[in-house]
PDB file of all heavy atoms in Angstrom:
ATOM      1  N   SER D 198      -8.242   5.744  -5.778  1.00  0.00           N
ATOM      2  CA  SER D 198      -7.035   6.357  -6.335  1.00  0.00           C
ATOM      3  C   SER D 198      -6.698   5.798  -7.714  1.00  0.00           C
ATOM      4  O   SER D 198      -6.043   6.461  -8.522  1.00  0.00           O
ATOM      5  CB  SER D 198      -5.846   6.129  -5.399  1.00  0.00           C
ATOM      6  OG  SER D 198      -6.088   6.646  -4.126  1.00  0.00           O
ATOM      7  N   SER D 199      -7.144   4.580  -7.989  1.00  0.00           N
ATOM      8  CA  SER D 199      -6.808   3.931  -9.256  1.00  0.00           C
ATOM      9  C   SER D 199      -7.361   4.699 -10.457  1.00  0.00           C
ATOM     10  O   SER D 199      -6.774   4.651 -11.542  1.00  0.00           O
ATOM     11  CB  SER D 199      -7.337   2.494  -9.272  1.00  0.00           C
ATOM     12  OG  SER D 199      -8.739   2.471  -9.127  1.00  0.00           O
ATOM     13  N   PHE D 200      -8.470   5.433 -10.265  1.00  0.00           N
ATOM     14  CA  PHE D 200      -9.059   6.168 -11.386  1.00  0.00           C
ATOM     15  C   PHE D 200      -8.141   7.290 -11.857  1.00  0.00           C
ATOM     16  O   PHE D 200      -7.941   7.482 -13.052  1.00  0.00           O
ATOM     17  CB  PHE D 200     -10.433   6.728 -10.985  1.00  0.00           C
ATOM     18  CG  PHE D 200     -11.457   5.664 -10.722  1.00  0.00           C
ATOM     19  CD1 PHE D 200     -11.864   5.380  -9.429  1.00  0.00           C
ATOM     20  CD2 PHE D 200     -12.009   4.927 -11.763  1.00  0.00           C
ATOM     21  CE1 PHE D 200     -12.797   4.389  -9.174  1.00  0.00           C
ATOM     22  CE2 PHE D 200     -12.944   3.932 -11.521  1.00  0.00           C
ATOM     23  CZ  PHE D 200     -13.335   3.665 -10.225  1.00  0.00           C
ATOM     24  N   LEU D 201      -7.579   8.057 -10.910  1.00  0.00           N
ATOM     25  CA  LEU D 201      -6.652   9.119 -11.280  1.00  0.00           C
ATOM     26  C   LEU D 201      -5.320   8.561 -11.757  1.00  0.00           C
ATOM     27  O   LEU D 201      -4.633   9.177 -12.573  1.00  0.00           O
ATOM     28  CB  LEU D 201      -6.427  10.056 -10.095  1.00  0.00           C
ATOM     29  CG  LEU D 201      -7.592  10.982  -9.744  1.00  0.00           C
ATOM     30  CD1 LEU D 201      -7.259  11.806  -8.514  1.00  0.00           C
ATOM     31  CD2 LEU D 201      -7.935  11.891 -10.913  1.00  0.00           C
ATOM     32  N   ALA D 202      -4.957   7.377 -11.253  1.00  0.00           N
ATOM     33  CA  ALA D 202      -3.694   6.761 -11.661  1.00  0.00           C
ATOM     34  C   ALA D 202      -3.709   6.377 -13.139  1.00  0.00           C
ATOM     35  O   ALA D 202      -2.646   6.187 -13.743  1.00  0.00           O
ATOM     36  CB  ALA D 202      -3.412   5.529 -10.808  1.00  0.00           C
ATOM     37  N   LEU D 203      -4.899   6.275 -13.722  1.00  0.00           N
ATOM     38  CA  LEU D 203      -4.991   5.973 -15.156  1.00  0.00           C
ATOM     39  C   LEU D 203      -4.280   7.023 -16.000  1.00  0.00           C
ATOM     40  O   LEU D 203      -3.780   6.742 -17.089  1.00  0.00           O
ATOM     41  CB  LEU D 203      -6.471   5.891 -15.583  1.00  0.00           C
ATOM     42  CG  LEU D 203      -7.275   4.704 -15.049  1.00  0.00           C
ATOM     43  CD1 LEU D 203      -8.745   4.878 -15.382  1.00  0.00           C
ATOM     44  CD2 LEU D 203      -6.756   3.402 -15.617  1.00  0.00           C
ATOM     45  N   LEU D 204      -4.222   8.251 -15.463  1.00  0.00           N
ATOM     46  CA  LEU D 204      -3.558   9.329 -16.193  1.00  0.00           C
ATOM     47  C   LEU D 204      -2.056   9.105 -16.284  1.00  0.00           C
ATOM     48  O   LEU D 204      -1.395   9.648 -17.164  1.00  0.00           O
ATOM     49  CB  LEU D 204      -3.836  10.669 -15.505  1.00  0.00           C
ATOM     50  CG  LEU D 204      -5.310  11.080 -15.390  1.00  0.00           C
ATOM     51  CD1 LEU D 204      -5.438  12.358 -14.568  1.00  0.00           C
ATOM     52  CD2 LEU D 204      -5.919  11.274 -16.769  1.00  0.00           C
ATOM     53  N   GLY D 205      -1.517   8.313 -15.343  1.00  0.00           N
ATOM     54  CA  GLY D 205      -0.080   8.077 -15.323  1.00  0.00           C
ATOM     55  C   GLY D 205       0.426   7.418 -16.589  1.00  0.00           C
ATOM     56  O   GLY D 205       1.466   7.808 -17.140  1.00  0.00           O
ATOM     57  N   GLY D 206      -0.306   6.422 -17.066  1.00  0.00           N
ATOM     58  CA  GLY D 206       0.100   5.740 -18.293  1.00  0.00           C
ATOM     59  C   GLY D 206       0.056   6.652 -19.494  1.00  0.00           C
ATOM     60  O   GLY D 206       0.977   6.651 -20.331  1.00  0.00           O
ATOM     61  N   SER D 207      -1.002   7.465 -19.582  1.00  0.00           N
ATOM     62  CA  SER D 207      -1.135   8.390 -20.719  1.00  0.00           C
ATOM     63  C   SER D 207      -0.033   9.437 -20.695  1.00  0.00           C
ATOM     64  O   SER D 207       0.559   9.763 -21.728  1.00  0.00           O
ATOM     65  CB  SER D 207      -2.512   9.079 -20.671  1.00  0.00           C
ATOM     66  OG  SER D 207      -3.546   8.126 -20.723  1.00  0.00           O
ATOM     67  N   LEU D 208       0.256   9.954 -19.493  1.00  0.00           N
ATOM     68  CA  LEU D 208       1.306  10.960 -19.373  1.00  0.00           C
ATOM     69  C   LEU D 208       2.677  10.368 -19.689  1.00  0.00           C
ATOM     70  O   LEU D 208       3.511  11.009 -20.330  1.00  0.00           O
ATOM     71  CB  LEU D 208       1.302  11.545 -17.956  1.00  0.00           C
ATOM     72  CG  LEU D 208       2.312  12.646 -17.660  1.00  0.00           C
ATOM     73  CD1 LEU D 208       2.088  13.842 -18.568  1.00  0.00           C
ATOM     74  CD2 LEU D 208       2.223  13.070 -16.199  1.00  0.00           C
TER      75      LEU D 208
END
Side-chain angles (χ1 to χ4, degrees):
S198 302
S199 60
F200 294 107
L201 287 177
L203 291 172
L204 300 174
S207 301
L208 182 60

